[in-house]
Amino acid sequence: MIPSIWERSTFTDKLGPEKEGQMWTFQDKGGRDCCLIPEVTGVIQQMWREGWSKTMKSGTKLFYCSRNYRYERPQAGRYREFTQFGIEILGDRSGGDAAAAREALEACLSLFDANLVMVDAVKRGLAYYVEEGFEVECPELGAQRQVAGGGRYAEGIGWAIGVERMLLAEDAKIAASPS
């Protein structure tokens, strides 16, 4: 289970100043800086570094489905509260983890009937990526066309699907199909 409230410092360096302003931040009763999590990978990275790497084997695979939060004006396909489903493969630097992550993403996407396009070699907007990542887009969604994204970071590799965006992609396909 991924907690919805986490240490703010986990995300401040990873997101950069522009995106840091999009976080729901507050101090708890003990005066600690906290936030509602804006994404899951930062939490997973910290949990791996601070404990899991000592007790779990290299190549550990996990999945999550988590609520995430964004402090900004809601717009079509971009909500203040949203759901991410994702996977992470941790501690495996053999190179096989990238193929496994890609296969898992393609298997998930095959369950949907939307017009989805895989875009490789994407500069992801989070500072923890150590190489170019990838995204999955639904062109019918316009400016909010990204429905999934991921890449490699120091502790592993992973991706997440925006559940609400994927539902919008399915709706767009239904609306575009002839009656």
Side-chain angles (χ1 to χ4, degrees):
M1 181 74 151
I2 302 296
S4 293
I5 299 173
W6 199 256
E7 303 164 23
R8 179 180 174 194
S9 62
T10 299
F11 299 101
T12 52
D13 291 338
K14 295 172 175 36
L15 296 177
E18 174 190 319
K19 292 190 178 186
E20 186 179 342
Q22 297 174 3
M23 290 173 39
W24 288 90
T25 61
F26 56 93
Q27 287 191 334
D28 67 9
K29 291 181 181 180
R32 294 173 293 243
D33 289 328
C34 300
C35 68
L36 295 176
I37 64 169
E39 55 93 31
V40 177
T41 302
V43 175
I44 299 291
Q45 289 175 310
Q46 186 173 348
M47 293 171 104
W48 179 258
R49 281 192 314 272
E50 294 179 358
W52 289 353
S53 64
K54 297 166 187 62
T55 60
M56 296 179 172
K57 64 182 178 132
S58 177
T60 293
K61 298 174 184 169
L62 56 93
F63 75 94
Y64 58 85
C65 188
S66 176
R67 299 299 285 168
N68 298 275
Y69 305 87
R70 182 184 294 123
Y71 186 80
E72 65 180 5
R73 183 180 57 82
Q75 33 190 316
R78 194 164 170 85
Y79 310 117
R80 286 187 170 182
E81 184 176 0
F82 58 99
T83 307
Q84 284 184 340
F85 170 79
I87 65 105
E88 309 291 340
I89 303 174
L90 301 163
D92 181 359
R93 303 301 286 177
S94 69
D97 60 343
R102 180 73 168 238
E103 288 171 14
L105 177 58
E106 289 171 355
C108 283
L109 296 174
S110 73
L111 300 172
F112 296 93
D113 199 23
N115 176 25
L116 301 174
V117 177
M118 181 73 76
V119 182
D120 291 313
V122 173
K123 173 73 174 141
R124 304 280 297 145
L126 301 169
Y128 54 71
Y129 286 110
V130 296
E131 56 188 45
E132 290 181 326
F134 51 87
E135 293 180 349
V136 177
E137 298 178 349
C138 176
E140 289 82 5
L141 296 182
Q144 304 300 334
R145 66 184 165 271
Q146 181 190 344
V147 296
R152 180 171 302 285
Y153 47 91
E155 297 80 5
I157 191 167
W159 52 261
I161 294 173
V163 174
E164 290 84 359
R165 291 243 185 110
M166 186 59 77
L167 293 173
L168 288 172
E170 285 289 296
D171 286 347
K173 188 214 179 271
I174 292 168
S177 65
S179 299

